[in-house]
Amino acid sequence: MDYNEKVIKRFSKPKNVGEIKNADGIGKVGNPRCGDVMELFIKVKNNKIVDAKFRTFGCVAAIATSDALCDMVKGKTIEEAKKITNQDIVNDLGTLPPIKVHCSVLGREALDAAIKDYENKKN
Amino acid sequence: MKVYLDNGATTRCDEKVIERMKKIYLKNYGNPSSLHSLGRDAKKEVDRARKEFANYLKISEEEIIFVASGSEADNLAIKGLSLAYPEKKHIITSKIEHPAILRTCEDLERNGYEITYLDVNKEGLIDIKKLKELLRTDTLVVSIMHANNEIGTINDIESISKICREKNVFFHTDAVQSLGKVKLNLGNIDLASFSAHKIHGPKGVGALYIKKGIRLKSIIKGGGQERGLRAGTENVPGIVGFAEALTSLSEKEIERITELRDYFIERVMKEIKEVHLNGPLKERLCNNASISFHYVEGEGLLYHLDAKGIAVSTGSACSSKSLQVSHVLRAIGLKHEIAHGTIRFTFSKYNTKKEIDYVIDSLKEIVTNLRKMSPLYPEEK
Ligand SMILES: Cc1ncc(COP(=O)(O)O)c(C=O)c1O
Ligand code: FES
């Protein structure tokens, strides 16, 4: 697979692996294409995402995008986080092999699910 | 440390092979079809290689055709038969064949052939009794591989070929992975495919054994090389290198590789929890260990190993162009997420015990880390 250095680096040493105890939002999604699973945990304070962690069963691209996504959402308000597209995640990593773009969609969906969970819990 | 454990994909060339090839490239570089002495010398080299091949397989020289790959040998066997015996429109093969056989059969299927894809059991063995029932008067050929490239299963092709012979149906075997490693009696086998680069020979050279008396039509047309069955100037260095490679593995070396393999399997099974071996313990290629590491995905595992200098391959869906789990792992009934974490380790005579120890240590560390990251891994474990 033609992964760039940034992707490999993220994948080799992800910074945001794990779970957040008492997370404010949890998103768990599966990838219908290859059968992978991602779990995203967010901690929210004053409508701002202050921490994010993930657990992913998936390929190099899935792990790299999960980790990048966590960094991207930290410090963002819920509204700002909602605007993140899967292309933004790909851009953050430079490029992904075309066949691997769907793995970044998994990240986007996990974020949606986590935010929804947060909003449900809040109301 | 660099450890190459992908010898099922291809192997390092043997020094002796290279030496013989070098001589051809530099001195005997003539075209075997040329009339001058350089050409005649080149032809002698091809003849000699063919004789070595025939001696090795205990067949006669006219029964071996050199081609450009194992894939081409597979294509020529199936397509060549279909062109020569067009009245027979049924083919039997298995679900775990190499794509060179499967895609060729699918091609024929689109042209009106009926193909039966035999199931295999969880070890990758076909049901010989079932096969016997499926043979028909219009069955052109049964094609069952000798040793499987992914899980190492060795099918009992001597029994299978005997049944085919009794029913007067041609039997072809893809023996690419087993050549030089597993004893093969070609007795009732009508056609067999081989490839040089899996046994320390050069890439891009293959051979097809065709039992005397079997008609075959060529699929590559041109000059009349290889008795008109395969046009194209002979790859003289490649053919000579292939003949040399046949004996690149001694009994003793095969024994040593088997020991390494068993040592590896034993330690992995003992020291890493929740793993299993795919394929049988006994009827298994001497250099193959296909292992599923539950709760981890194979591509990630492969890249981590790569970062440590260890080369392997995987059957994970994520690593395939179609995003589908390997057809072999599906055929033996592995659950999707388990097939996902399947790694193939294939050894060679160049591997050492020290290398294996290093691989096991690396695996332990990587698998632990990936499991920590996996949402499928049950906690409290
Ligand atoms: C079982 C089997 N058949 C056929 C082939 C194709 O051989 P080649 O690479 O020479 O085309 C391979 C190797 O990839 C193989 O493992
Ligand atoms: S997660 Fe399966 S291809 Fe990326």
Side-chain angles (χ1 to χ4, degrees), chain B residues 127-192:
Chain B
D127 182 343
I128 299 184
K129 257 190 11 227
K130 178 93 181 277
L131 167 70
K132 198 169 181 176
E133 289 161 16
L134 288 166
L135 291 172
R136 315 194 312 216
T137 51
D138 68 334
T139 306
L140 171 69
V141 59
V142 172
S143 178
I144 304 289
M145 72 202 316
H146 191 196
N148 182 267
N149 45 311
E150 289 190 42
I151 56 173
T153 307
I154 299 173
N155 261 298
D156 177 8
I157 55 170
E158 285 181 20
S159 300
I160 299 171
S161 60
K162 196 158 158 254
I163 287 168
C164 295
R165 171 58 46 86
E166 281 160 12
K167 296 266 179 165
N168 257 323
V169 171
F170 292 129
F171 178 73
H172 164 259
T173 189
D174 176 331
V176 166
Q177 290 286 345
S178 62
L179 180 69
K181 303 187 194 110
V182 189
K183 281 217 172 63
L184 179 59
N185 174 8
L186 286 169
N188 289 314
I189 295 167
D190 298 301
L191 305 108

Side-chain angles (χ1 to χ4, degrees), chain A residues 3 34 36 56 59 99-100, chain B residues 297 299 318 321 336 340 373:
Chain A
Y3 290 121
C34 57
D36 297 311
T56 294
C59 71
I99 189 177
K100 293 290 188 176
Chain B
E297 187 280 317
E299 191 194 88
C318 297
K321 293 191 180 83
H336 186 98
H340 238 4
M373 200 184 283

Side-chain angles (χ1 to χ4, degrees), chain B residues 337-378:
Chain B
E337 66 271 20
I338 288 187
H340 238 4
T342 302
I343 299 281
R344 179 186 73 172
F345 305 86
T346 39
F347 309 92
S348 85
K349 62 175 175 176
Y350 296 119
N351 292 124
T352 63
K353 185 146 175 268
K354 212 165 134 192
E355 288 181 347
I356 305 299
D357 286 331
Y358 171 69
V359 173
I360 293 167
D361 287 343
S362 307
L363 269 173
K364 287 204 275 198
E365 179 193 324
I366 296 166
V367 170
T368 305
N369 283 337
L370 284 176
R371 280 181 178 166
K372 267 190 207 144
M373 200 184 283
S374 169
L376 304 183
Y377 193 54

